[in-house]
Amino acid sequence: MSQPGQGHRSSISQNSRSASQFPNDSEELTDTELVKQVNDLKHQIKILNLENEIIERTIMRLEPALMHGVQQALEYATKLQSSSSLNVGSFLKSQTSRFGFDSLMSPSRMLTSPSKISTRRVESSAKIGGTVIFGSGPRINVLERSELVITEMEILIDFLEKVRSKAAKQHALLKAQLEEIGVRVVDIEKATEMFNQQVIIEGWDKIAQRIPAEIWIRFMTEWVKMADSKIGKLRLRTSTLNTQYGKLKGQIKVKAELSESLRPVDFDKLKIENDECTKIIDQKIQQLGELKKMTGDANLTLAVHKKALMEQNTYLNDVLKTIKTKIKQTAELDKEKNVIQIQADSLAQKLEDVRKVRQAYEVPDIMDYVQVKAEVTDLKHSVKLLENRVHIQQIALTSLNKKLQTMFLNN
């Protein structure tokens, strides 16, 4: 290797935590060893990048003024590295002394930190900076590294929780907006369908070939009434939700105040009260079990009495039906009785008349009857003879009329 490369390697080997892993320049490396060395260097570079990122975040959080000029120095060092890698170490030393990196090593600067914890973390970061950049100074141990990592992880977790909460609120807001837009779209589609059906289709006047203004005005009036009713309902619902929100907000405020004023004694008191309440609940559960047993017995007795009552009700319904039937039959019998009474009265009257006739009737003599019968027979015979005589005379009259007609016709 070239001489500048050897100088750069020697400066890095002084700062590296695993300088023994690099072989001497006189040794020749095989391909496997070279690949392994490159992989190890990549892994170390990745770890160093993570450590630098954590230290930079810690410094920016605790004392941002310490990072002034670092970015310019790193950019300038990157530009010079391509032309002269030999002067990187001296350039970094001069740039750090120019931009105030010596303040990282001075303990007087650490005294201006807001707390002991921040002072210790800045000192740790200063130690790391001295170790990595200058190649000298104390190194941070594993505990300090883990403390820095845990602190940054906690900060990052808090930040992620805040972002998650904010994203959840934004998601809920967007979901509510989407629901509102969906409701608006549905209302617009319904209003459009109603307008097309009532105004354009049904309101078209075939004779005048136009839509009358009265239909349009009536549709708009009805639509405005519907909108006013919906607005009233939404206002009532909004007022209800606002009232519930105020109540919940007040409850949350009261709970927050109570949580601030709570003491361990309060928890002990609450535990004692909970134990007493648990005992009371156990007693109430036992009483509830006994009440359930009593309720079961009462239900059984009630079922028996209910069954008997149902039978009595059935018998009562049968009796009531029989009574109604008997009442109907009685009414019919009364009607028949009245009819029979009328018939009996009329028959009694007829019987009385017959009795009177019978009492007043006298049986005639047989000879009188025979004489009357003989007279009737003679009269019938005389009537028959007279009828025959009339018939003969009619025949003679008919013949005479014919003769007269013939005589008139001959003349």
Side-chain angles (χ1 to χ4, degrees):
M1 296 182 182
S2 61
Q3 190 67 25
Q6 292 175 358
H8 181 59
R9 176 177 291 179
S10 62
S11 63
I12 295 176
S13 62
Q14 293 175 1
N15 301 326
S16 177
R17 290 167 298 195
S18 60
S20 61
Q21 294 177 0
F22 296 100
N24 296 325
D25 294 338
S26 59
E27 295 179 358
E28 292 183 358
L29 299 175
T30 61
D31 294 337
T32 305
E33 292 176 350
L34 184 61
V35 170
K36 183 178 179 182
Q37 185 175 355
V38 170
N39 293 328
D40 292 338
L41 288 173
K42 287 181 179 180
H43 183 65
Q44 290 178 6
I45 290 169
K46 186 176 180 181
I47 294 173
L48 290 174
N49 287 330
L50 291 174
E51 291 180 356
N52 291 333
E53 184 179 355
I54 293 172
I55 292 170
E56 183 180 356
R57 288 185 179 181
T58 305
I59 293 172
M60 290 299 294
R61 179 170 52 83
L62 297 176
E63 195 67 31
L66 297 177
M67 295 297 294
H68 292 168
V70 174
Q71 188 65 29
Q72 291 83 352
L74 292 175
E75 291 177 358
Y76 191 54
T78 304
K79 292 179 181 179
L80 291 179
Q81 186 178 4
S82 60
S83 60
S84 176
S85 60
L86 182 62
N87 296 325
V88 172
S90 61
F91 170 73
L92 291 175
K93 289 180 182 180
S94 63
Q95 291 294 325
T96 51
S97 62
R98 182 183 300 176
F99 291 106
F101 262 86
D102 292 336
S103 62
L104 295 172
M105 300 297 297
S106 61
S108 61
R109 186 69 178 271
M110 299 300 105
L111 297 175
T112 60
S113 300
S115 61
K116 294 181 180 180
I117 299 174
S118 62
T119 302
R120 182 166 54 81
R121 289 174 180 171
V122 173
E123 287 177 355
S124 301
S125 63
K127 292 176 184 178
I128 294 173
T131 303
V132 175
I133 296 174
F134 301 110
S136 62
R139 299 180 181 179
I140 61 174
N141 55 19
V142 178
L143 294 176
E144 291 174 344
R145 291 180 188 175
S146 64
E147 184 180 359
L148 290 175
V149 172
I150 290 170
T151 303
E152 292 298 325
M153 285 179 64
E154 290 177 354
I155 294 170
L156 185 60
I157 289 171
D158 293 336
F159 177 73
L160 290 175
E161 289 295 332
K162 291 179 180 178
V163 172
R164 184 181 295 172
S165 177
K166 185 177 179 181
K169 291 180 180 179
Q170 189 70 21
H171 182 266
L173 178 61
L174 293 174
K175 187 177 180 180
Q177 290 178 354
L178 287 174
E179 291 179 356
E180 182 182 2
I181 291 169
V183 172
R184 288 184 180 179
V185 169
V186 171
D187 291 337
I188 291 169
E189 289 178 353
K190 288 182 179 178
T192 305
E193 291 178 358
M194 289 175 62
F195 178 78
N196 292 329
Q197 182 67 27
Q198 296 181 7
V199 178
I200 297 176
I201 297 174
E202 296 179 358
W204 178 258
D205 191 356
K206 295 180 181 180
I207 298 173
Q209 294 295 319
R210 64 183 180 87
I211 298 173
E214 293 82 3
I215 295 175
W216 166 261
I217 294 170
R218 185 171 65 250
F219 174 78
M220 290 302 296
T221 305
E222 292 177 355
W223 188 79
V224 168
K225 288 181 181 179
M226 292 172 62
D228 290 336
S229 64
K230 288 183 180 179
I231 289 169
K233 292 180 181 179
L234 291 175
R235 283 179 179 173
L236 181 61
R237 186 177 179 183
T238 304
S239 63
T240 305
L241 291 176
N242 288 329
T243 305
Q244 292 179 357
Y245 175 74
K247 290 181 181 179
L248 293 175
K249 192 174 180 181
Q251 291 178 1
I252 291 170
K253 186 177 180 181
V254 170
K255 288 182 179 180
E257 292 176 355
L258 290 174
S259 64
E260 291 177 357
S261 61
L262 288 175
R263 297 291 182 272
V265 179
D266 297 329
F267 290 101
D268 295 335
K269 183 179 178 181
L270 184 62
K271 185 177 180 181
I272 294 170
E273 292 178 354
N274 290 333
D275 294 335
E276 293 178 354
C277 292
T278 305
K279 292 179 181 178
I280 293 171
I281 289 169
D282 293 334
Q283 293 177 0
K284 296 296 182 183
I285 289 172
Q286 292 178 0
Q287 293 177 1
L288 181 62
E290 294 176 357
L291 288 174
K292 285 183 178 180
K293 291 180 181 178
M294 294 173 64
T295 305
D297 296 335
N299 287 328
L300 183 60
T301 307
L302 179 63
V304 174
H305 288 289
K306 187 176 180 181
K307 186 177 180 180
L309 181 62
M310 289 176 68
E311 292 177 355
Q312 293 293 329
N313 286 329
T314 305
Y315 179 72
L316 179 62
N317 292 327
D318 295 336
V319 171
L320 291 174
K321 289 180 181 179
T322 306
I323 291 170
K324 289 181 180 179
T325 306
K326 295 297 182 182
I327 290 171
K328 290 180 180 180
Q329 291 177 359
T330 305
E332 292 176 356
L333 290 174
D334 290 335
K335 291 179 181 180
E336 291 179 359
K337 178 183 177 182
N338 294 326
V339 173
I340 292 170
Q341 186 66 37
I342 293 168
Q343 292 177 358
D345 293 336
S346 62
L347 292 173
Q349 185 67 32
K350 289 180 180 180
L351 179 62
E352 187 67 23
D353 295 337
V354 169
R355 283 179 180 177
K356 288 180 180 180
V357 171
R358 185 179 177 183
Q359 288 177 2
Y361 181 76
E362 292 180 358
V363 179
D365 192 8
I366 295 172
M367 294 303 295
D368 295 335
Y369 175 75
V370 170
Q371 290 177 0
V372 171
K373 190 71 174 174
E375 290 177 359
V376 169
T377 304
D378 293 338
L379 290 173
K380 287 181 179 179
H381 181 68
S382 299
V383 169
K384 190 173 181 181
L385 290 174
L386 291 173
E387 287 177 355
N388 292 329
R389 193 177 293 176
V390 169
H391 182 67
I392 292 168
Q393 288 178 0
Q394 285 179 356
I395 293 170
L397 179 63
T398 303
S399 62
L400 289 173
N401 288 328
K402 289 180 180 180
K403 287 179 181 182
L404 289 173
Q405 288 177 0
T406 54
M407 289 175 66
F408 285 118
L409 290 173
N410 293 326
N411 294 326

